[in-house]
């Protein structure tokens, strides 16, 4: 008996199983590449641990004070005293979690309050909160566009937008990044009577470039049966007079049917949402699988989000500081001779483009050793096979910190040979 068990166990040991039976074999190239990088003494760009977080712009990494220039904490709300206090109170009053779906036992007073805060922030009649922004895109796209419908999306769309398409049954049509002409052409080839969902982003997160929304909306409106969804994940908080996003700044509010967003960036916590004025919006709560079949956000999270969203409504000074920081960093990096993702600063994201993986990793590590954390991004997450260091600014970066950041870039760039 015991022999039989041992034999069966042995037969399932991957090391002794022919490669063809190992579902992990498709990852071998990645495993080998990663092991080679780590063996060369490089820190793991995707394995950073923040041992202590001192503020929205400063953390301790491996015992060293490190300036954070690779977070989505654009408005620096993570340590806002009112936001933190609201979270603590909700934890005391309502407990650690809801243990259930929004459709069953998982809707608390706090979930209604954060949806009210969103309706006030966006000036819409409907708001629906998901557990993450990723799920908001999964849910909205897969539920709105079904069999026989079309989703038309920018080729550089975020993974959650692509995954929303894969979860649904609609036909997927991609157009060239930010190309109004290509969008128009591809819409023109689709059956006139078919229902279509056009998905755009306000700010594209890899290069930090902004979409030409008025021209895109005008192109879409030439074709029948199109609804428009804009993902404003990276625009909320600081674009437009009310901080609603690029679509507000560019004056196309009346033309957009759905706005998707996240609490994990300017809001400073976690969660996702969609807002809309569509009169039938509420039905989505019954039919949207990534909303129905998952637990709702914990009470502490929705309380921090509601407080943060209401504070962002009057955050004009923070907005101005964020833009000032973005302009100073963009100008400074250009002057040093770095190649950047955009000609001018378009958002709070500034991408430094490097030639290959070796240069990108070398530069990333040199910055870290000098006390600066940025995001390293590589294909397939990046457009056109580029390797880049993505810098994202925070309203709470001081002028002195921005100066330090430029000094660190200059030293690392010269040490690695990216600039002279
Ligand atoms: N949309 C875009 C454009 C994003 O960049 C992201 C996350 N980086 C998301 C959606 C998903 O947001 P979340 O972190 O809330 O899942």
């Amino acid at each position: 008996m015991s022999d039989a068990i041992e034999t069966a166990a042995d037969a399932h040991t991957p090391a002794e199983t022919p490669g063809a039976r190992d579902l992990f074999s498709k990852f071998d190239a990645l495993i080998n590449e990663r092991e080679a990088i780590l063996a060369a003494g490089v820190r793991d760009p995707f394995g950073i641990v923040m041992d202590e977080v001192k503020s929205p712009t400063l953390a301790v990494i491996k015992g060293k004070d490190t300036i954070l220039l690779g977070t989505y904490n654009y408005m620096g709300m993570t340590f806002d005293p009112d936001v933190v206090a609201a979270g603590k109170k909700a934890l005391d009053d309502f407990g650690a979690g809801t243990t259930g779906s929004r459709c069953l036992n998982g809707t608390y007073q706090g979930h209604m309050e954060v949806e009210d805060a969103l309706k006030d922030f966006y000036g819409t009649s409907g708001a629906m909160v998901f557990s993450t922004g990723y799920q908001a895109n999964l849910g909205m796209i897969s539920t709105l566009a079904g069999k026989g419908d079309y989703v038309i999306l920018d080729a550089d769309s975020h993974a959650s937008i692509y995954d929303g398409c894969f979860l649904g049954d609609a036909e997927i049509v991609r157009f060239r990044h930010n190309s109004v002409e290509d969008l128009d052409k591809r819409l023109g080839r689709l059956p006139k009577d078919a229902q279509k969902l056009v998905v755009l982003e306000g700010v594209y997160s890899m290069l930090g470039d902004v979409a030409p929304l008025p021209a895109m909306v005008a192109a879409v409106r030439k074709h029948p049966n199109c609804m428009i969804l804009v993902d404003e994940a990276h625009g909320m908080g600081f674009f437009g007079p009310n901080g609603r996003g690029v679509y507000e700044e560019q004056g196309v509010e009346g033309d957009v049917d759905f706005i998707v967003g996240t609490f994990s960036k300017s809001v400073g916590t976690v969660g996702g949402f969609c807002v809309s004025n569509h009169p039938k919006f509420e039905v989505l709560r019954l039919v949207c699988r990534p909303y129905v079949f998952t637990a709702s956000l914990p009470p502490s999270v929705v309380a921090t989000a509601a407080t943060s969203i209401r504070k962002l409504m009057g955050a004009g000074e923070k907005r101005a500081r964020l833009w000032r920081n973005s302009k100073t960093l963009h100008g400074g990096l250009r002057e040093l001779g770095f190649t950047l993702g955009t000609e001018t600063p378009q958002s709070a994201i500034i991408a430094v483009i490097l030639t290959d993986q070796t240069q990108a990793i070398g530069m990333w590590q040199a910055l870290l050793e000098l006390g600066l954390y940025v995001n390293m991004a590589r294909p397939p997450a990046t457009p056109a096979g580029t390797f880049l260091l993505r810098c994202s600014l925070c309203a709470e970066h001081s002028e002195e910190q921005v100066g330090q950041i430029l000094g660190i870039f200059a030293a690392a760039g010269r040490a690695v040979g990216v600039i002279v």
Side-chain angles (χ1 to χ4, degrees), residues 72 132-135 137 158 160 201 203 205 231 233-234 262-265 271-272:
Y72 294 130
T132 64
Y134 179 88
Q135 281 164 284
N137 270 330
H158 187 259
S160 57
E201 291 178 43
V203 177
S205 64
D231 179 333
H234 296 275
T262 174
F263 298 159
S264 74
K265 303 186 187 341

Side-chain angles (χ1 to χ4, degrees), residues 8 19 47 85 121 127 131 138 141 146 152 192 220 226 233 241 249 251 287 299 320 328 343 365-366 372 374 376 393:
F121 187 91
S131 297
L138 277 194
I141 296 168
I152 299 89
K192 295 221 172 329
V220 173
C226 294
E249 174 143 314
V287 292
T328 310
E343 280 292 307
Q365 173 141 324
L372 179 64
V374 299
M376 203 190 83
L393 287 145

Side-chain angles (χ1 to χ4, degrees), residues 16-240:
E16 296 186 15
T17 307
R21 284 190 57 206
D22 184 0
L23 290 167
F24 282 88
S25 58
K26 56 180 151 308
F27 306 120
D28 284 350
L30 181 62
I31 291 169
N32 294 340
E33 185 195 349
R34 193 180 135 83
E35 279 174 0
I37 290 172
L38 297 183
V42 172
R43 301 264 289 273
D44 181 358
F46 307 113
I48 284 292
V49 178
M50 312 271 165
D51 297 321
E52 205 186 319
V53 181
K54 293 186 168 177
S55 78
T57 61
L58 196 68
V60 179
I61 298 175
K62 284 227 160 143
K64 190 180 177 68
D65 270 5
T66 305
I67 300 177
L68 299 174
L69 189 67
T71 78
Y72 294 130
N73 203 353
Y74 300 124
M75 299 295 273
M77 298 306 281
T78 49
F79 282 88
D80 181 280
D82 297 329
V83 169
V84 172
K88 284 181 179 164
K89 183 166 178 352
L91 198 54
D92 282 342
D93 293 352
F94 289 93
T98 67
T99 73
S101 162
R102 285 293 305 271
C103 303
L104 299 172
N105 59 306
T107 295
Y108 290 11
Q109 172 200 327
H111 297 85
M112 304 312 288
E113 279 170 12
V114 73
E115 286 177 347
D116 285 344
L118 283 168
K119 285 189 246 179
D120 290 346
F121 187 91
Y122 284 97
T124 54
S125 57
M128 198 168 146
V129 165
F130 292 77
S131 297
T132 64
Y134 179 88
Q135 281 164 284
N137 270 330
L138 277 194
M140 290 306 299
I141 296 168
S142 65
T143 310
L144 287 170
K147 209 168 176 54
D149 303 331
Y150 290 83
V151 184
I152 299 89
L153 75 164
D154 187 290
D156 286 0
S157 290
H158 187 259
S160 57
I161 294 174
Y162 274 101
D163 292 355
C165 294
F166 300 144
L167 187 65
D169 265 336
E171 294 276 336
I172 304 167
V173 178
R174 289 193 300 175
F175 62 91
R176 237 181 12 258
H177 175 54
N178 269 350
S179 168
V180 176
E181 195 192 342
D182 200 31
L183 169 64
D184 185 22
K185 193 170 82 189
R186 286 174 195 273
L187 279 170
R189 290 181 189 152
L190 301 180
K192 295 221 172 329
D193 55 350
Q195 297 294 325
K196 303 160 199 99
L197 178 67
V198 178
V199 182
L200 307 168
E201 291 178 43
V203 177
Y204 284 85
S205 64
M206 283 298 145
L207 298 178
D209 54 335
V210 159
L213 292 180
M216 293 194 134
V217 164
V220 173
R221 292 294 166 235
K222 283 166 43 187
H223 305 274
N225 297 322
C226 294
M227 295 184 105
I228 301 178
L229 180 153
V230 180
D231 179 333
E232 285 283 0
H234 296 275
M236 181 184 186
F238 53 99
F239 280 90

